[in-house]
Structures are given as C-alpha cells and as structure tokens.
Amino acid sequence: MTAVTIIGAGNMGSAIAGVVVTGGSPVQVLSHDPQKSSAAIPAATHAAVGEPITGDIVILALPYGAVSDVLGQYEGQLAGKVVVDLTNPLDFATFDSLVVPAESSAAAEIAETLPGSSVLKAFNTTFAATLVSGTVGAERTTVLIAGDDADAKASLAAVIEAGGLRAVDAGSLRRARELEAFGFLQLTLAAGDKTSWTSGFALAK
C-alpha cells in the first residue's frame, strides 16, 4: 500500500487522513501540535512539522500562505515524491480574487519550487464535510486530480477510491487554474450563505 504523509491537521487534513485510514493505507500526520492531532486521528502516526517525512505521497493540507515556509523546511526531502496541493489561493482580505497570476496557479508555483517532485492538484474542490460523509447529495464525493504525471495521479486515485470516494482525472497541471477558480467559487458561495459548508458540487456519471 502507498504510504501517505499529510502536513497539516486542520479540517481538511483530518478529513483526508480519515479517507486514507479507511482505505487501509498508512498515514503520517505532521502538525504543530501532534498531541492534539493524535487525539483527533488516532489511527495515524503523528509528528511535529519539520520531522522526517515517511510517505510516498505528501499532501499539503495547509493555507496557501503557509506553503512556502513548510516547503523551505523540507528543502531537498521531497524529491521523487508525489506532492499534492489542495490550496485555494484567495485574497482573504477581500474574498474577491485569487492572489496568483491569471495564467498560473498555486500548484504551478509549487511545481516550479519542487522540480524533482510530481506535483498534483487535488481536494481543493471538496469541503472537509463531504470528504467525511463520502457523499454530496445523492452522489459519491468526487475528488478532481490535475497533474502531468499519470503514474502519480493513478497512485493518488487508488488511495482515494480505496477510501470510498470517487477520483476523476481532470487533466494536466494546467487545469489547476480552473480547479482553483472552481474552489474559489465554492468558498465564496458558502461564505455568502448561498450554500453550506457541508455541501458542494456533485459530479454525476
């Protein structure tokens, strides 16, 4: 089974860890408070951010603004690994725009920083509650995955589907721009009480 490391133990990190555990893969959670995350996700192994990474897939369950510092702490340690970005790079001061150039994405920026890693965009179009419940309305929760490495996408998809969710290949890493715009729309709708934080968009077959 593919070992997974999740950096961050907030709502998204905890929800994804639950999916990984359900699927039977080993999961390591790195956080600033390992004791607290251990209580929330007892089936995972826990360590502080900065400790060695054990997973082949590394999921950055972090706010966009925290990614750069964390990548700096792990400089040279992520080569050869699959790195999954789930950030939605919003301007949280205005909640009205993304803070990356229109022709780029947060995932593309990470890929430039980590040329030796296979960078994927995933999980940013799902709320934590739908990862926990496994459903959006009557549909199974779908995780959209974008990236340029077919094997990396297949590995992540296998972990997701083993955990009971649906994984869909959304295309190359260039599609991260559209996924981030989609995530931005979901967040603004929920923040404006047009929908709830326990709902989301479903992808019907």
Side-chain angles (χ1 to χ4, degrees), residues 102-123:
E103 70 280 3
S104 187
S105 65
E109 292 178 348
I110 292 169
E112 289 181 7
T113 303
L114 302 174
S117 304
S118 295
V119 176
L120 305 178
K121 188 79 184 186
F123 296 108

Side-chain angles (χ1 to χ4, degrees), residues 2-94:
T2 303
V4 177
T5 292
I6 300 171
I7 304 179
N11 289 341
M12 286 296 290
S14 296
I16 295 169
V19 171
V20 178
V21 168
T22 297
S25 291
V27 58
Q28 174 196 40
V29 176
L30 300 176
S31 67
H32 292 295
D33 190 346
Q35 186 172 1
K36 182 177 179 180
S37 67
S38 178
I41 319 164
T45 60
H46 298 265
V49 173
E51 292 296 313
I53 288 171
T54 61
D56 299 306
I57 295 176
V58 181
I59 299 173
L60 304 175
L62 302 163
Y64 171 72
V67 169
S68 180
D69 285 345
V70 168
L71 294 184
Q73 290 184 62
Y74 286 103
E75 185 175 1
Q77 297 184 48
L78 295 170
K81 294 186 182 294
V82 177
V83 177
V84 183
D85 166 43
L86 58 73
T87 63
N88 283 306
L90 272 67
D91 181 341
F92 284 100
T94 65

Side-chain angles (χ1 to χ4, degrees), residues 142-147 149-150 153-154 157 167-172:
T142 297
V143 178
L144 301 174
I145 307 171
D149 184 330
K153 287 193 282 189
V168 171
D169 187 338
S172 73

